[in-house]
Amino acid sequence: MAEREALQKQYAYHEMSNKVEVASRRGRLRGEPTGEVESLRGHLTDSKMGDRVVSSSAKDEQPVSKKRKVQKEKRKTSEKTPSISITSTKSILDVASIRGYQPTTPSSKAAYQELVTLIGSKEYLSNQDFGILRDAAQVVLDILFDEDLRDPDKQKQLSNVLLYGKSGTKNISGSRYAQMVQWSKAMSDYHMHNKKSNESDEDDMNTEMGVAVVFHSDESDEDNDSDEGEGLLAAIADSESSSSEDDDDEAEGMAEPARAVEDEDDRDEHVGESLGKRNGKKTKDEASSKSSIRSLSVHEIDSHYLQRQLGQALPDEEATKVASLANQVLDILGNVTADLRECENQLLVLLGFDVFPTIQLLLHNRLKLWACITRLRAPPEKRDEVQEVLQKTDEGKLIWKELTEPSNVQDWSRERMRGLTHALKKNNPDKKDDKVSSALDDVAAAGNAIGVKSNSDGDKDANMDVDPKSDSASQKPTELDLEGLAFRDGAHTMSNSTCNLPPKSWRAMKKGYEEVHVPAVVKKTSPGENLIPIKNLPDWTHAAFQGMEVLNPIQSKVCPTALETNENLLLCAPTGGGKTNVAMLTMLNILGRYRKPPNKDDDEDSNNDSDIGKFDKSKFKIVYIAPMKALVQEVVSNFQRRLADYGMVVRELSGDSSLTRQQIAETQLLVTTPEKWDIVTRQGEGRAYTQLVKLVILDEIHLLHDDRGPVLESIVARVIRQVETTAEPIRLVGLSATLPNYADVATFLRVNPKKGLFFFDHSYRPIPLQMQYVGITERNAFKRFQLQNEICYDRALGQRRNDHQMLIFVHSRAETGKTAKALRDMAVTNDDISKFCRDGSMSQEILREESASVKNADLKDVLPYGFAIHHAGMTREDRGLVEDLFADRHVAVLCTTATLAWGVNLPAHAVIIKGTQIYNPSKGEWTELSPLDVLQMLGRAGRPPYDTQGEGIVLTRHSELQYYLSLTNLQLPVESQLIKTLPNHLNAEIVLGTVQSIDEASDWISYTFLYVRMLQNPGLYGITNSDIDTDPTLKLRRRDLAHTAACMLEKSLLAQYDRKSGALRATALGRVASQYYISHTSMAVYSRHMRPNMSGIELLRLFCQSGEFSHITVREEEKLELSKLVGKVPIPVKESPSEPAAKVNILLQAYISRLKLDGFALVADMAFIQQSAARIMRALFEIALRRHWSGLAKLTLDFANMVSHRIWRSQTPLRQFSNVPQIVARKLERKSDIEWSRFADLTPSDLGELVGVPKMGIILHELVHKFPKLDVSAVLQPITRSMLRIELTLVSAFQFDIDSHGYSQLFHVLVEDVNGEAILYHQTFTIQNRNKDDEHVLFLTVPIIDPLPPAYFIRILSDRWLHSESTLPISFQHTILPAKFPPPTELLDLQPLPVAASLQESAFTQLFPFQEFNPIQTQSFHELYKTDRNVLVCAPSGSGKLALANLAVLRAIQTSPKGKYVYITPL
């Protein structure tokens, strides 16, 4: 109320009128004219007089009023929307992407980049989005350029801005300040761009987009008159009207460029005028050139049309360069505010005069190209913007009509044929040789295949027509735009337009932010609810529930189905509802099925269920799929303890811990992640133990909405199809948070809704949760960042007034310490530190004592004040101490990362999520938190024994309020993300053999969650109502999706696709992609660019082109650090550090070299790159093996091991052992004159003397002899003149150590040609611990090259160890080969045998459709039909070998009527 009165008083008339005549007493503002003589430096542009003069022919004079009207319209257009072009990347120096200062000169750009890099370093504001760093730099510059401040005041203000959450000194150093001043002086153009906005926070908030939420009003609450009630806004912003106004403004702004295009002169005339006019007349060549420009059909233009055209016009350019040019050309074509002449000049500058015909084609179809490509690339919800632009012009309306009319297959076919014919004729305009004619005939034949007739009497281009009787083309599947259909927001996709909040929800507008409060749901208490005591369960199950007396309401309702039936089950319950115990009940159900009956000799008085009994554990396996590695470890420790009495072996199977086949065979419960289990099940080798799986538990199945959701879809579809194929039941159990569309998930899991579907809303939460959503409306990123700390402190102080503990979740390790220190400093400044830790209390004494033993500096600094931090980078002792102190209520505020929410069950009364932006290296940008993380963090709010209500507070941007309101109020439907990765998962099924045709692929899609959601919400997935009416089961749509994915796989060479029969067959590249989880886009790049003699530089460049790194970008604050790293990495980088490929290359080498990085985003990017590096290098190694490239195979294997061990090949091999000190390793590397092979001959004293540390001699001697090495010998035996048999003997020549080598060591056996370039033979060989001392013999069959080479080389390579290599040359000097061509069997001139007389069995005679045997059959008849000797028949095709096989089978039937006969065929 007081604020409102003050606001009214401020703008009252008597207050404002007095200010009119009052003279301003302020000092002169910076930049205000003083009247003194000033320099014009910085005010003048580089242009010269006459630069803007344009030579053109005179045009018809227009009335002055009409000219002014046109100019006015153009001015309005340029003000409203400068361009409708879509740019793929934005630089911080782009005018459109930056508010405030924008450097224009090279010196100012360099200085500005240095300043931003310094602000983003660990010294100041690290781990922050670039928007925050940019706005912080603006604040710093404002202070440095403020002439009213003295240097000490500037330095103090800069310290307050930059030293956020820093311990120790409270002022920046003098050298740093001087450096900043020096940089500011280099920014001479600062005053030109220093136009600061004076809008207040209230104005910013009023212009912010409203949130589409609906509050349920409660009339009973209208009479409440609390003090806060007057400060609340009861009215709700009408978001629909505001958004519609924005849409109208946007439509108006986008319509103007379209009019500009329409108001230009005729396109053809303008092209001719600007490119070929001489003295006002067109030449004959120009006229013919104009007539040759073809108008494209919208059906010819797809999202990659420009890239294909430029690729043909610029054949020497690389694919990445062509793709970049295509994006730039699209931007130029889309900039309709520029006239056609300007567009033409830009294209000529960009592409050059050599591609002039292509430029003519692009200009002639300018609007059509922009509209079609932009519409295909834009997400479905933004395609209406293209329509709005096109509807403003006549040409645009025609284009839109052509785009949206029902597709006429014949018209489309005719356009495609004409385009292809035009291209063929264009290459030979003067004559038609035989090749062109045959090519045109092929075009006509292709047209006939899809129903297009060619008139042979006339011109083949002009007389192509459509056969109306042919409808075969309409039955063929169409290729869809999967990229356009995929959800670009991924897990952030919102399919709901509004969010309905429960009653008594309210909102409040504060300075800089808006609050939305949602009350806790009243907990349901059913008087007749029966809770199941543990003692009522079978006695043998009690060991799994030690410490429990009764099941909670959720578990009691689910128990009969989970424990006593085999029904598939879906449980949707709030976090903390006891879903883990439900999973335990389903495991006990499996144990009960394989529980052996009690021994008959047992005591008669003993109950059958009194003892746990014994279980046949070899008959079953259980798979528990958890979404996170941290949760996997927690589940393993939990179930190991609870299932120990049953003798069950529980093991982790994730990326960090791989299990051998023997270990998997010994394990009954495998706890894994979705990706790891997908890899296991998609390989045929895993079928041996996957067939024993009887139960699959999918924890947090709402992961389906995440970008990782397609992996879950693939796993479930594979399990269901396996059940249908083998008729062996596998139970599916889904555990999830509360979902709005739980029925769809149940359908996907094949759950019977009457028996296995259980849904519990928030009223079943053990502790009701009250929610607060804070949407920050501040537009300045740095001010928004500062405001988050203030709001966080305000909420924390409110909790401490009620003596509550709280968890504050932040999103980086460094941010935990910064936030805790910032809160501590604000508490000290405001004299509120006693609220967090009372003076003289026992807790204060305990915290002071414990802080002395703490190792983490940030924790030591804040712990005495009642604050603490927790993250995975701390030592185990520090983390355990913090957890104990918080559980004992000594710590009031705990700042932590999400690992505490997943790995440690440490609840608090209140949970604050400070910000929802987190850096996602897979996308190369700051994205919103995943729903999984948000729900897990909020699940830590409320302590069941102590609290009756918990509180959750989410701090986010105002534009994201609706998303988080929908997420936590059961109004965010789970959608499928499968379309984005459909080709990759289809390839896995093709390789596995479960999909062998398009029909089977279409059937496979029907088992996915995508199919369920397409039926429920077809419009969201690009399906029209007419499609649903004509195809209720979406069979055609599924077939189109499968066809599109198959075409993409075929283009990437991962699968063979026969479009006529629909057959699908895996290729060698497809098997590699499936095995190593490589995307089809990456495999296409590898297939095109891999060469047999690639160097390390070329291999790294190829690695950087992988599709997995397509989203990695170079940010401005990273350029300086990358430039420094370029000089530290050993392998030269050819690209500029500002290119994404160079960044990937540099970070990979920095990881191997163990270089320390400063930027948080760089560290995250490096971690993402190294996670994929070893896997990609292994895939490249497999490709090189399959292509028989020896040099590249050895190089890729070396790089894979270099990434794994983080050492270079030039370093000592002993670095691969963890117990070798760095100093010793460096000394060994300095002794480069001693070869590694000689180290085995040195004594311990020699090695100690070599490194200068005598005590290390014994250790080094042991490590040298533990290094994997094999002794190899071989015996040759030529089988034929072209085939050689090698008997290879292998003996291990190293000390096998389980700690260093594991239980087995894998080696690759290669046979190379004399040049060492081609691999003639490859085989893997494994030495295990139990047979390490045995002599191993391998038999190799190797082809002999003609002419006979002087030697071959046998090379034994370790799969995991660098420098572990044994080579054995095989000389052919004394080898005697068999005769070159052994004589064939002489074909005798025999009388043909009659079939009936020879067989003497009428039943046998009917098997042969001829009367007499041919000469080969006649000569072989006696040996096959009358004897039982082995026979080898070698004869040409068509000589009747199948009949000879039948004779052998008939002989077997006669001699062994009851026997079984095997016929083996290659296909």
Side-chain angles (χ1 to χ4, degrees):
M1 188 67 183
E3 294 179 0
R4 183 181 299 177
E5 290 179 356
L7 190 65
Q8 292 177 352
K9 183 178 179 181
Q10 180 181 356
Y11 294 100
Y13 176 76
H14 63 277
E15 293 286 342
M16 300 296 294
S17 61
N18 293 336
K19 296 180 180 180
V20 176
E21 300 296 332
V22 176
S24 175
R25 297 181 183 274
R26 63 170 175 81
R28 180 171 282 107
L29 296 176
R30 184 172 71 255
E32 186 175 348
T34 62
E36 299 179 359
V37 178
E38 297 181 1
S39 171
L40 294 178
R41 180 184 179 184
H43 295 275
L44 298 178
T45 62
D46 296 334
S47 59
K48 299 178 182 179
M49 183 177 294
D51 278 357
R52 296 187 179 182
V53 174
V54 177
S55 176
S56 60
S57 59
K59 297 183 180 180
D60 297 336
E61 292 292 328
Q62 297 180 356
V64 177
S65 60
K66 186 174 181 180
K67 284 185 176 181
R68 289 178 179 175
K69 184 177 181 180
V70 172
Q71 293 174 358
K72 185 178 180 181
E73 292 292 332
K74 289 185 177 181
R75 277 199 306 271
K76 290 171 62 179
T77 300
S78 61
E79 291 173 359
K80 289 184 179 180
T81 169
S83 176
I84 61 172
S85 60
I86 301 174
T87 57
S88 58
T89 57
K90 293 183 179 180
S91 169
I92 67 162
L93 305 180
D94 291 341
V95 176
S97 64
I98 294 184
R99 300 186 306 273
Y101 173 61
Q102 304 164 29
T104 56
T105 64
S107 60
S108 60
K109 287 181 180 179
Y112 184 74
Q113 183 176 330
E114 293 274 5
L115 179 62
V116 172
T117 303
L118 176 64
I119 294 174
S121 65
K122 293 181 180 179
E123 186 177 354
Y124 299 119
L125 303 179
S126 61
N127 307 350
Q128 302 300 336
D129 183 13
F130 178 71
I132 295 175
L133 303 180
R134 178 196 62 203
D135 290 341
Q138 182 67 43
V139 175
V140 170
L141 290 176
D142 289 342
I143 295 173
L144 291 174
F145 281 96
D146 193 343
E147 299 176 356
D148 296 335
L149 295 176
R150 297 179 301 170
D151 283 345
D153 297 332
K154 291 181 181 180
Q155 189 172 355
K156 184 176 181 181
Q157 290 192 19
L158 290 176
S159 301
N160 295 334
V161 170
L162 298 179
L163 294 178
Y164 149 69
K166 296 293 181 181
S167 303
T169 179
K170 295 299 180 182
N171 291 314
I172 61 176
S173 62
S175 60
R176 282 299 186 196
Y177 175 72
Q179 195 175 27
M180 293 181 188
V181 172
Q182 190 68 25
W183 288 335
S184 65
K185 291 180 180 179
M187 303 178 197
S188 58
D189 55 352
Y190 179 79
H191 63 281
M192 298 176 57
H193 300 277
N194 190 27
K195 298 179 180 180
K196 294 182 290 184
S197 174
N198 293 322
E199 295 180 356
S200 63
D201 293 334
E202 289 82 0
D203 294 336
D204 288 344
M205 186 174 60
N206 292 335
T207 57
E208 187 76 26
M209 183 184 296
V211 182
V213 295
V214 178
F215 291 78
H216 291 287
S217 60
D218 192 348
E219 296 179 359
S220 62
D221 295 334
E222 294 178 359
D223 298 334
N224 296 341
D225 51 357
S226 62
D227 295 337
E228 297 179 357
E230 297 180 358
L232 303 180
L233 298 179
I236 302 170
D238 186 358
S239 62
E240 295 182 0
S241 61
S242 63
S243 62
S244 63
E245 291 173 3
D246 295 339
D247 293 342
D248 293 341
D249 294 342
E250 184 179 1
E252 183 180 356
M254 295 182 71
E256 293 299 330
R259 287 197 203 99
V261 174
E262 183 68 16
D263 292 340
E264 295 290 343
D265 295 337
D266 182 73
R267 291 170 178 258
D268 295 338
E269 293 179 4
H270 193 85
V271 172
E273 176 183 317
S274 59
L275 295 179
K277 186 170 287 189
R278 299 290 183 273
N279 299 326
K281 296 182 181 180
K282 297 176 183 175
T283 64
K284 181 178 179 180
D285 294 339
E286 293 161 354
S288 63
S289 176
K290 174 187 171 182
S291 63
S292 65
I293 302 176
R294 188 169 60 90
S295 294
L296 300 175
S297 168
V298 295
H299 302 294
E300 294 181 67
I301 304 172
D302 57 10
S303 58
H304 303 289
Y305 179 83
L306 283 177
Q307 189 169 346
R308 288 197 303 271
Q309 290 293 325
L310 295 179
Q312 296 173 4
L314 304 169
D316 297 332
E317 296 289 349
E318 296 182 357
T320 54
K321 178 67 174 178
V322 173
S324 176
L325 289 175
N327 292 332
Q328 297 180 52
V329 169
L330 183 63
D331 293 341
I332 295 173
L333 297 178
N335 188 6
V336 296
T337 56
D339 59 11
L340 204 58
R341 185 192 302 274
E342 182 179 350
C343 179
E344 166 196 318
N345 291 337
Q346 292 178 5
L347 290 177
L348 285 172
V349 172
L350 179 65
L351 303 177
F353 289 92
D354 296 336
V355 294
F356 178 72
T358 302
I359 295 177
Q360 283 185 307
L361 179 67
L362 299 181
L363 291 175
H364 186 71
N365 300 275
R366 177 183 179 186
L367 184 59
K368 191 176 295 185
L369 285 168
W370 174 84
C372 294
I373 298 176
T374 304
R375 183 172 178 269
L376 289 173
R377 292 184 178 181
E381 62 272 11
K382 292 187 179 181
R383 293 182 180 178
D384 293 337
E385 296 177 4
V386 179
Q387 179 183 0
E388 293 174 1
V389 176
L390 295 179
Q391 292 295 341
K392 300 299 181 180
T393 63
D394 294 337
E395 181 185 2
K397 290 179 180 178
L398 294 176
I399 295 175
W400 181 254
K401 182 179 179 181
E402 190 177 0
L403 279 170
T404 56
E405 274 186 344
S407 180
N408 188 319
V409 178
Q410 287 78 12
D411 291 342
W412 175 84
S413 302
R414 181 170 58 248
E415 295 293 342
R416 299 287 285 185
M417 291 302 103
R418 286 179 177 175
L420 185 55
T421 307
H422 176 82
L424 289 171
K425 283 188 172 182
K426 184 178 177 182
N427 294 332
N428 293 271
D430 299 329
K431 62 177 181 178
K432 287 187 180 180
D433 57 12
D434 296 337
K435 294 183 179 179
V436 176
S437 299
S438 62
L440 292 174
D441 293 337
D442 293 341
V443 172
N448 293 331
I450 58 174
V452 179
K453 279 198 309 185
S454 176
N455 189 350
S456 59
D457 296 335
D459 181 63
K460 292 186 179 182
D461 181 23
N463 295 285
M464 278 193 178
D465 202 354
V466 178
D467 185 1
K469 297 181 181 180
S470 174
D471 58 351
S472 60
S474 61
Q475 303 298 326
K476 292 185 177 181
T478 58
E479 193 167 348
L480 304 176
D481 179 17
L482 295 186
E483 184 180 355
L485 291 174
F487 300 131
R488 295 201 173 182
D489 293 333
H492 204 59
T493 301
M494 280 196 304
S495 56
N496 57 317
S497 57
T498 60
C499 176
N500 297 313
L501 298 183
K504 300 184 180 180
S505 300
W506 53 277
R507 69 193 292 180
M509 308 292 288
K510 299 293 181 67
K511 184 178 180 180
Y513 63 93
E514 177 186 7
E515 297 178 359
V516 178
H517 293 252
V518 178
V521 180
V522 179
K523 188 175 181 180
K524 287 184 179 180
T525 55
S526 303
E529 190 174 44
N530 295 323
L531 301 182
I532 299 178
I534 299 297
K535 64 181 181 180
N536 290 356
L537 299 177
D539 291 345
W540 63 271
T541 64
H542 294 176
F545 300 98
Q546 293 179 3
M548 295 179 57
E549 296 181 357
V550 66
L551 298 177
N552 67 18
I554 294 176
Q555 297 161 0
S556 298
K557 290 185 178 181
V558 181
C559 179
T561 303
L563 182 60
E564 300 171 6
T565 70
N566 298 325
E567 290 285 340
N568 287 354
L569 189 145
L570 173 63
L571 172 60
C572 299
T575 304
K579 295 189 287 290
T580 304
N581 284 336
V582 174
M584 175 60 71
L585 290 172
T586 60
M587 295 180 193
L588 294 175
N589 170 266
I590 299 296
L591 282 171
R593 277 195 269 166
Y594 295 94
R595 183 168 179 259
K596 295 181 179 180
N599 195 342
K600 296 181 180 180
D601 297 335
D602 291 344
D603 188 4
E604 295 179 357
D605 296 334
S606 64
N607 193 339
N608 290 341
D609 290 337
S610 61
D611 298 326
I612 292 179
K614 297 181 179 179
F615 304 90
D616 191 356
K617 292 175 289 189
S618 63
K619 296 291 184 64
F620 70 91
K621 289 189 185 300
I622 300 172
V623 177
Y624 190 106
I625 300 177
M628 307 284 290
K629 292 181 181 178
L631 186 58
V632 166
Q633 296 171 356
E634 182 184 359
V635 170
V636 168
S637 61
N638 183 15
F639 286 128
Q640 277 180 342
R641 174 178 51 83
R642 299 177 64 175
L643 295 173
D645 293 337
Y646 300 92
M648 287 187 62
V649 179
V650 182
R651 283 196 174 105
E652 174 187 352
L653 181 62
S654 64
D656 296 335
S657 62
S658 298
L659 303 178
T660 63
R661 295 181 183 178
Q662 181 179 357
Q663 290 175 322
I664 294 178
E666 297 171 351
T667 305
Q668 286 77 49
L669 175 57
L670 289 167
V671 185
T672 181
T673 56
E675 290 78 9
K676 189 65 176 181
W677 189 246
D678 185 27
I679 293 175
V680 171
T681 56
R682 65 167 53 181
Q683 296 178 4
E685 299 177 356
R687 291 183 180 179
Y689 48 85
T690 55
Q691 291 178 351
L692 297 175
V693 174
K694 304 300 179 185
L695 172 63
V696 177
I697 301 174
L698 303 161
D699 196 2
E700 309 292 351
I701 199 174
H702 50 275
L703 184 70
L704 287 167
H705 193 76
D706 194 78
D707 291 331
R708 299 165 62 202
V711 182
L712 277 182
E713 293 190 51
S714 180
I715 291 173
V716 173
R718 199 171 294 145
V719 170
I720 296 174
R721 299 187 78 201
Q722 179 181 339
V723 171
E724 294 181 355
T725 304
T726 61
E728 295 181 1
I730 299 177
R731 190 181 191 185
L732 288 172
V733 174
L735 307 177
S736 170
T738 48
L739 303 173
N741 57 335
Y742 56 88
D744 296 338
V745 181
T747 303
F748 167 59
L749 294 178
R750 303 301 193 266
V751 172
N752 187 339
K754 296 182 180 179
K755 297 180 180 180
L757 177 57
F758 297 90
F759 175 80
F760 301 93
D761 58 16
H762 289 314
S763 62
Y764 283 87
R765 200 179 192 275
I767 303 298
L769 185 62
Q770 174 188 348
M771 289 297 303
Q772 295 182 33
Y773 305 87
V774 180
I776 301 178
T777 57
E778 174 61 53
R779 293 187 176 183
N780 185 283
F782 183 63
K783 293 180 179 179
R784 184 168 63 244
F785 169 72
Q786 293 176 317
L787 186 58
Q788 274 188 353
N789 287 328
E790 298 174 6
I791 298 172
C792 197
Y793 174 75
D794 180 64
R795 296 300 185 273
L797 187 61
Q799 294 294 328
R800 289 306 299 163
R801 286 171 181 162
N802 298 321
D803 198 28
H804 293 315
Q805 290 178 290
M806 74 216 69
L807 293 171
I808 300 178
F809 284 102
V810 295
H811 311 306
S812 70
R813 297 177 181 179
E815 190 65 23
T816 57
K818 290 182 179 181
T819 300
K821 293 173 185 176
L823 296 178
R824 188 269 316 270
D825 293 342
M826 283 188 277
V828 172
T829 303
N830 299 329
D831 199 19
D832 291 328
I833 196 65
S834 61
K835 299 288 194 306
F836 298 91
C837 186
R838 294 190 182 94
D839 292 336
S841 63
M842 183 183 298
S843 294
Q844 187 180 44
E845 295 298 325
I846 293 175
L847 293 177
R848 286 179 178 176
E849 291 179 4
E850 296 293 347
S851 62
S853 61
V854 168
K855 298 180 181 179
N856 186 277
D858 292 335
L859 179 60
K860 183 187 291 289
D861 188 16
V862 300
L863 191 59
Y865 300 91
F867 296 87
I869 64 173
H870 188 286
H871 57 75
M874 298 168 57
T875 62
R876 185 179 297 273
E877 293 78 11
D878 285 355
R879 281 181 290 164
L881 174 63
V882 170
E883 293 166 11
D884 294 339
L885 292 175
F886 190 82
D888 296 338
R889 299 180 61 82
H890 297 304
V891 171
V893 179
L894 177 57
C895 299
T896 178
T897 56
T899 53
L900 185 67
W902 286 105
V904 182
N905 188 8
L906 197 66
H909 175 81
V911 165
I912 301 176
I913 301 178
K914 183 191 170 188
T916 56
Q917 286 267 313
I918 187 170
Y919 183 73
N920 187 348
S922 63
K923 295 184 178 180
E925 59 185 3
W926 292 79
T927 59
E928 292 296 316
L929 282 172
S930 69
L932 205 62
D933 287 327
V934 173
L935 296 176
Q936 193 71 18
M937 293 176 190
L938 295 176
R940 291 293 183 257
R943 300 179 302 161
Y946 308 103
D947 295 333
T948 58
Q949 181 175 286
E951 294 186 47
I953 304 171
V954 180
L955 276 61
T956 184
R957 293 182 300 176
H958 191 269
S959 58
E960 303 298 335
L961 267 183
Q962 182 179 347
Y963 173 78
Y964 292 104
L965 286 167
S966 302
L967 173 64
T968 55
N969 289 279
L970 308 184
Q971 297 180 49
L972 184 66
V974 175
E975 302 294 346
S976 172
Q977 311 288 338
L978 181 61
I979 289 181
K980 187 182 300 183
T981 57
L982 182 61
N984 298 330
H985 290 284
L986 178 60
N987 176 63
E989 300 301 322
I990 296 174
V991 172
L992 190 58
T994 56
V995 170
Q996 297 180 350
S997 66
I998 285 296
D999 292 334
E1000 291 182 0
S1002 174
D1003 183 61
W1004 167 72
I1005 294 177
S1006 67
Y1007 288 86
T1008 63
F1009 187 61
L1010 170 65
Y1011 177 59
V1012 177
R1013 287 305 296 162
M1014 285 195 302
L1015 291 174
Q1016 295 296 327
N1017 194 356
L1020 186 65
Y1021 294 87
I1023 303 172
T1024 62
N1025 294 330
S1026 59
D1027 294 336
I1028 289 289
D1029 295 337
T1030 57
D1031 187 18
T1033 61
L1034 296 180
K1035 182 176 181 180
L1036 296 178
R1037 183 68 171 190
R1038 287 186 279 119
R1039 188 177 176 85
D1040 291 344
L1041 288 171
H1043 168 73
T1044 305
C1047 291
M1048 297 175 73
L1049 293 176
E1050 184 186 32
K1051 292 176 183 177
S1052 303
L1053 304 179
L1054 301 190
Q1056 296 177 357
Y1057 178 30
D1058 186 355
R1059 286 170 171 75
K1060 293 183 179 180
S1061 63
L1064 291 169
R1065 182 181 300 173
T1067 63
L1069 289 178
R1071 294 185 180 92
V1072 172
S1074 175
Q1075 180 180 357
Y1076 292 97
Y1077 235 68
I1078 308 295
S1079 65
H1080 69 281
T1081 54
S1082 297
M1083 295 300 294
V1085 173
Y1086 304 153
S1087 177
R1088 288 196 302 269
H1089 298 290
M1090 283 186 71
R1091 298 294 180 267
N1093 297 319
M1094 296 181 73
S1095 63
I1097 298 176
E1098 295 169 334
L1099 180 62
L1100 286 180
R1101 294 184 69 187
L1102 176 63
F1103 169 83
C1104 298
Q1105 300 299 326
S1106 302
E1108 282 77 3
F1109 310 129
S1110 60
H1111 297 288
I1112 289 183
T1113 58
V1114 180
R1115 289 167 286 276
E1116 285 295 326
E1117 68 271 23
E1118 300 171 348
K1119 290 183 178 179
L1120 186 62
E1121 186 171 1
L1122 289 175
S1123 300
K1124 295 178 181 178
L1125 289 174
V1126 168
K1128 297 180 181 179
V1129 296
I1131 299 180
V1133 180
K1134 292 186 176 181
E1135 295 82 6
S1136 168
S1138 60
E1139 296 184 19
K1143 176 181 176 180
V1144 176
N1145 194 340
I1146 294 170
L1147 291 182
L1148 177 62
Q1149 295 192 57
Y1151 173 77
I1152 299 175
S1153 303
R1154 302 175 187 263
L1155 300 179
K1156 292 184 178 180
L1157 306 182
D1158 189 25
F1160 167 74
L1162 273 181
V1163 175
D1165 286 336
M1166 184 176 72
F1168 173 72
I1169 292 170
Q1170 67 90 9
Q1171 288 172 1
S1172 304
R1175 174 171 50 87
I1176 292 176
M1177 288 299 179
R1178 290 278 171 181
L1180 294 175
F1181 170 65
E1182 288 290 337
I1183 296 174
L1185 284 180
R1186 295 173 186 270
R1187 295 187 175 181
H1188 308 291
W1189 294 342
S1190 177
L1192 186 58
K1194 291 180 287 188
L1195 182 63
T1196 50
L1197 183 61
D1198 283 346
F1199 264 99
N1201 291 324
M1202 283 190 283
V1203 173
S1204 300
H1205 295 286
R1206 300 187 70 178
I1207 68 169
W1208 293 101
R1209 186 171 176 82
S1210 58
Q1211 295 175 311
T1212 175
L1214 293 180
R1215 283 183 180 265
Q1216 298 172 85
F1217 294 99
S1218 58
N1219 56 345
V1220 176
Q1222 293 290 330
I1223 299 177
V1224 175
R1226 293 193 194 100
K1227 290 184 177 180
L1228 288 174
E1229 289 160 0
R1230 295 192 190 103
K1231 306 295 182 178
S1232 58
D1233 55 332
I1234 302 177
E1235 297 181 0
W1236 168 246
S1237 59
R1238 293 178 54 193
F1239 272 71
D1241 301 330
L1242 299 179
T1243 63
S1245 58
D1246 294 337
L1247 290 171
E1249 182 181 355
L1250 187 65
V1251 297
V1253 184
K1255 295 182 180 180
M1256 286 295 299
I1258 298 176
I1259 299 176
L1260 293 176
H1261 187 267
E1262 292 179 356
L1263 296 180
V1264 168
H1265 287 80
K1266 286 181 181 179
F1267 196 82
K1269 180 183 178 182
L1270 298 179
D1271 291 334
V1272 187
S1273 61
V1275 177
L1276 307 184
Q1277 180 183 356
I1279 300 175
T1280 65
R1281 196 170 183 84
S1282 60
M1283 194 66 64
L1284 178 68
R1285 185 172 183 264
I1286 303 176
E1287 181 180 341
L1288 193 65
T1289 303
L1290 303 174
V1291 179
S1292 61
F1294 64 99
Q1295 299 175 7
F1296 206 101
D1297 180 34
I1298 295 179
D1299 294 334
S1300 302
H1301 307 116
Y1303 291 95
S1304 63
Q1305 279 291 301
L1306 180 66
F1307 294 87
H1308 296 275
V1309 180
L1310 305 180
V1311 179
E1312 302 174 352
D1313 64 357
V1314 67
N1315 298 319
E1317 297 177 352
I1319 298 176
L1320 305 177
Y1321 182 88
H1322 169 254
Q1323 179 181 341
T1324 58
F1325 166 71
T1326 302
I1327 293 182
Q1328 298 180 349
N1329 182 35
R1330 62 174 181 266
N1331 60 1
K1332 59 180 182 297
D1333 298 326
D1334 298 343
E1335 187 178 87
H1336 307 274
V1337 179
L1338 300 180
F1339 294 96
L1340 318 181
T1341 304
V1342 183
I1344 299 176
I1345 301 174
D1346 189 20
L1348 184 66
Y1352 281 171
F1353 291 94
I1354 298 179
R1355 201 178 302 272
I1356 314 295
L1357 302 175
S1358 173
D1359 186 65
R1360 298 292 175 183
W1361 293 77
L1362 279 171
H1363 294 279
S1364 177
E1365 178 178 332
S1366 301
T1367 305
L1368 176 67
I1370 300 177
S1371 175
F1372 295 125
Q1373 183 177 2
H1374 303 291
T1375 303
I1376 301 176
L1377 299 179
K1380 190 172 183 180
F1381 296 110
T1385 303
E1386 181 181 357
L1387 186 62
L1388 304 178
D1389 186 12
L1390 302 177
Q1391 186 70 22
L1393 291 177
V1395 174
S1398 302
L1399 298 177
Q1400 299 177 354
E1401 288 285 346
S1402 58
F1404 292 173
T1405 305
Q1406 296 176 0
L1407 297 175
F1408 300 93
F1410 46 82
Q1411 301 296 326
E1412 295 179 345
F1413 291 110
N1414 64 26
I1416 294 178
Q1417 296 166 348
T1418 300
Q1419 188 168 340
S1420 307
F1421 177 82
H1422 178 79
E1423 202 67 26
L1424 290 167
Y1425 193 70
K1426 297 297 184 179
T1427 70
D1428 295 326
R1429 290 189 291 269
N1430 295 339
V1431 179
L1432 172 64
V1433 179
C1434 301
S1437 300
S1439 57
K1441 293 190 292 292
L1442 182 59
L1444 297 178
N1446 292 336
L1447 290 175
V1449 172
L1450 294 179
R1451 170 65 181 180
I1453 292 175
Q1454 286 181 333
T1455 56
S1456 303
K1458 296 182 180 181
K1460 293 185 178 179
Y1461 324 107
V1462 178
Y1463 181 91
I1464 300 175
T1465 179
L1467 297 176

